[in-house]
Amino acid sequence: MLDVDEAPETPGLYAWYASFRASPHDWKTQPGPHGDQAIEGFLRLLRRYAGYYEPLPIALRGRGSYGALWEGDLELDTPLRQPDEEADALPAEEDKRLAILMDSLDSEERRRVMATILEMASPVFSSPLYIGVAENLRERLRTHRRDFTKAYEWLREHPEDATAVRAKGKTFGARAAARNMTMRQLEAWVIDLGDQEDDAVTVKHLRHTAQSAEWLLHRLYAPILGRQ
């Protein structure tokens, strides 16, 4: 998000991704009374990153016998969610997978390799957080940056609003800030359509085609911070 000023001032589509960031401080061995403290520290880093992509709860409503109304929220049960003392124990298979993950973090070199893989995965393997269309890519991305900055500053003073903004924030920038992302982690990739205009394809045609492509891409990739 720091380099949006380099985006072209042309029509096109864009997608936001959250890059994984780790430094030697995160993977280097940290001796402690109960062993290498860097293992748990790195796992917390993974949990935080996974939280960026965690879908919102699904609200369900239905009627039962005699017209009784049933309603509630369903949340995704994932082994990478931050542990909750009141939560049920993980299913055996998920618990096994988490144990395997922990084993892969049991040395400084293995943590470094994991960090390298995750850093390289975005955007090649990762899903986009948000997909949008713009008549001027640079101006649109700047708007996202302003929205993020405004929401970040508000949430720093009003952390109790984070849950509400995460669920109902009106802009991508606000929803991203509510998930504790940093501006440095957010990267935008663009499809510049400026060179597609000619006598047969006008700016109006480009805009309509790009909007149709945006609609299709939303259905294909379901960006987690899109307008659902």
Side-chain angles (χ1 to χ4, degrees):
M1 188 172 271
L2 297 173
D3 57 359
V4 297
D5 294 329
E6 299 177 14
E9 294 184 281
T10 53
L13 291 101
Y14 62 92
W16 284 103
Y17 296 86
S19 62
F20 181 82
R21 301 285 183 174
S23 68
H25 174 77
D26 297 305
W27 65 68
K28 283 187 175 296
T29 302
Q30 299 175 23
H34 303 292
D36 186 358
Q37 297 182 97
I39 298 175
E40 282 294 335
F42 201 88
L43 180 60
R44 286 194 297 271
L45 191 65
L46 293 181
R47 290 188 192 276
R48 179 175 178 177
Y49 185 67
Y52 299 160
Y53 289 91
E54 186 175 318
L56 293 171
I58 299 174
L60 299 178
R61 291 171 60 90
R63 290 194 176 276
S65 302
Y66 304 105
L69 179 63
W70 293 71
E71 61 181 10
D73 293 337
L74 283 181
E75 294 185 342
L76 178 66
D77 188 8
T78 167
L80 284 177
R81 172 175 288 177
Q82 197 63 32
D84 186 340
E85 293 182 0
E86 299 180 0
D88 296 333
L90 289 173
E93 183 62 27
E94 295 286 9
D95 194 49
K96 179 180 178 182
R97 290 303 310 173
L98 184 59
I100 293 173
L101 174 62
M102 292 293 288
D103 286 342
S104 72
L105 306 178
D106 67 356
S107 74
E108 180 177 314
E109 282 304 306
R110 297 180 78 178
R111 291 190 293 272
R112 182 188 59 77
V113 171
M114 177 67 78
T116 300
I117 292 171
L118 292 177
E119 287 172 1
M120 296 177 68
S122 178
V124 181
F125 295 158
S126 63
S127 299
L129 295 169
Y130 185 91
I131 296 173
V133 63
E135 294 187 17
N136 184 314
L137 287 164
R138 185 182 300 176
E139 286 304 314
R140 185 65 178 137
L141 295 178
R142 282 174 170 172
T143 298
H144 284 312
R145 184 171 62 184
R146 286 194 296 269
D147 291 339
F148 179 93
T149 301
K150 182 179 179 180
Y152 179 84
E153 292 175 351
W154 172 267
L155 292 171
R156 188 169 55 183
E157 300 296 328
H158 305 84
E160 68 279 3
D161 291 345
T163 300
V165 175
R166 174 177 169 140
K168 299 181 180 180
K170 294 182 179 180
T171 66
F172 161 73
R175 295 191 293 273
R179 288 184 179 239
N180 292 319
M181 298 180 191
T182 66
M183 193 176 289
R184 181 169 170 263
Q185 286 179 296
L186 290 166
E187 298 179 351
W189 288 70
V190 305
I191 299 176
D192 182 356
L193 298 177
D195 60 354
Q196 298 298 315
E197 182 183 355
D198 56 29
D199 293 338
V201 182
T202 65
V203 173
K204 182 178 179 180
H205 291 146
L206 282 177
R207 182 172 64 251
H208 289 169
T209 302
Q211 288 172 342
S212 294
E214 178 195 31
W215 178 88
L216 178 60
L217 293 172
H218 281 161
R219 273 69 194 168
L220 291 175
Y221 304 128
I224 202 69
L225 297 185
R227 297 185 299 273
Q228 302 176 27

